[in-house]
Amino acid sequence: MRLVFAGTPAVAVPTLQALAAQHEIAAVITRPDAPLGRKRVLTPSPVATVAEQLGLPVIKAARLDDEVTAQVAAFDAALGVIVAYGGIVREPLLSTPEKGWINLHFSLLPQWRGAAPVQRALINGDAELGVSVFQLVPALDAGDVFAMRAVALPENATADVALEVLADDGAALTVDVVAGIADGTARAQPQQGAPTLAPKLTLDDGVLDWTQPLASVHARYRGVTPEPGAHTTLDGARLKILAAEPAPADAVALEPGELAGTKSAVLVGTGTTPLAVTRVQPAGKGPMNAADWWRGLRDGESRRAGA
């Protein structure tokens, strides 16, 4: 089947590659090159890079406007597939491909409709994450679902790791749905249950509240890692928490926010048992081993996070 694909980040790449192996991709739509790194070098999106490697026509657009709609119409594709493009598909583009658009979403819809489903699910402590492929409609992530699959994640997976796993499973699911649409066997069903929303994360979402139980603190750390990043304050300065896990069962008891060093980590007290922090980034410095950072603290500096 002749397709148009829209996507931008690395999590969209597995679906593009899987579809390109089985279908004709008439064009790939992605966000414009963005400045990256300290030197702010303009860099193509991961999807643009892979599309060019595959020899596919690429449309770089910040908005899916009338110009993009005209370009898509000229390609005469039967179906549009979108994965994390970073923009909203509105009419008349929504109806431009003969069979409309389908969307791969990284949640078990109607749970976590919105921009950050995986991050919000992890923060919430959800035991089960998954992927859904649904018919795109004007309302946010509200279309009928063609297929849905729960996905097992590695223990203590952070958002970036979870997204990698979900991206691979989602690619396979999307290929199955596209095949069903092509041969006429695919049937979409209305979403069941009350929706929950997953708005984009802000820097404030990364603040760790040490008065919460360990499970909640660790869940938030997982959900905001690597972006926008978990952090706390120490003597009024931000301290980024780059790597952390629940402390061993025999760890010393600590008050919420109280710090204690070990040979390999810095323990931080929570509302229950401590979190073991193994890598940090103090304000104005680069990432470093947490134990080394702890040993470098001067006398008189705070030993309580959140202070």
Side-chain angles (χ1 to χ4, degrees):
M1 186 159 59
R2 187 171 170 85
L3 309 174
V4 170
F5 182 87
T8 299
V11 293
V13 167
T15 302
L16 172 59
Q17 292 172 321
L19 290 173
Q22 298 190 25
H23 298 276
E24 179 186 2
I25 308 294
V28 173
I29 307 169
T30 191
R31 304 280 292 183
D33 297 358
L36 296 180
R38 290 186 177 180
K39 296 185 177 180
R40 311 301 289 166
V41 177
L42 281 178
T43 306
S45 73
V47 163
T49 299
V50 171
E52 289 165 1
Q53 292 170 352
L54 294 171
L56 302 174
V58 176
I59 301 170
K60 296 182 179 181
R63 294 173 57 248
L64 299 176
D65 54 16
D66 291 343
E67 182 180 350
V68 173
T69 300
Q71 290 175 291
V72 170
F75 284 113
D76 194 28
L79 177 70
V81 180
I82 188 165
V83 185
Y85 162 73
I88 299 174
V89 182
R90 295 186 174 91
E91 295 291 4
L93 180 57
L94 194 59
S95 301
T96 296
E98 175 191 352
K99 299 181 184 298
W101 291 77
I102 61 170
N103 184 190
L104 169 61
H105 189 70
F106 299 111
S107 82
L108 298 171
L109 290 171
Q111 298 176 36
W112 306 118
R113 295 178 181 175
V118 174
Q119 294 90 334
R120 295 291 180 185
L122 290 175
I123 290 171
N124 195 57
D126 289 7
E128 187 175 65
L129 278 71
V131 289
S132 304
V133 179
F134 69 97
Q135 187 76 44
L136 206 61
V137 297
L140 178 66
D141 299 336
D144 292 352
V145 175
F146 284 100
M148 188 183 302
R149 178 182 298 164
V151 178
L153 297 177
E155 186 178 8
N156 297 328
T158 49
D160 53 343
V161 174
L163 277 165
E164 287 182 10
V165 175
L166 292 168
D168 289 337
D169 277 72
L173 191 66
T174 305
V175 167
D176 290 344
V177 170
V178 171
I181 293 174
D183 66 20
T185 60
R187 297 289 182 271
Q189 300 295 325
Q191 296 182 25
Q192 301 295 319
T196 53
L197 299 181
K200 184 178 180 180
L201 298 179
T202 68
L203 187 62
D204 287 344
D205 286 308
V207 177
L208 300 182
D209 180 357
W210 302 108
T211 66
Q212 294 292 312
L214 172 64
S216 297
V217 175
H218 188 231
R220 181 165 294 273
Y221 156 76
R222 293 171 61 202
V224 301
T225 299
E227 294 293 338
H231 56 95
T232 187
T233 54
L234 196 71
D235 292 333
R238 182 181 298 153
L239 177 69
K240 295 181 180 179
I241 309 297
L242 303 182
E245 60 187 18
D250 60 353
V252 61
L254 298 170
E255 293 296 316
E258 184 181 1
L259 305 177
T262 71
K263 290 183 179 180
S264 59
V266 174
L267 304 183
V268 187
T270 73
T272 52
T273 53
L275 182 74
V277 177
T278 55
R279 195 159 181 80
V280 298
Q281 184 175 358
K285 298 182 180 180
M288 64 180 67
N289 181 285
D292 292 341
W293 165 77
W294 173 259
R295 286 190 287 269
L297 288 180
R298 297 183 298 272
D299 290 342
E301 288 187 306
S302 177
R303 295 299 192 270
R304 186 177 292 274

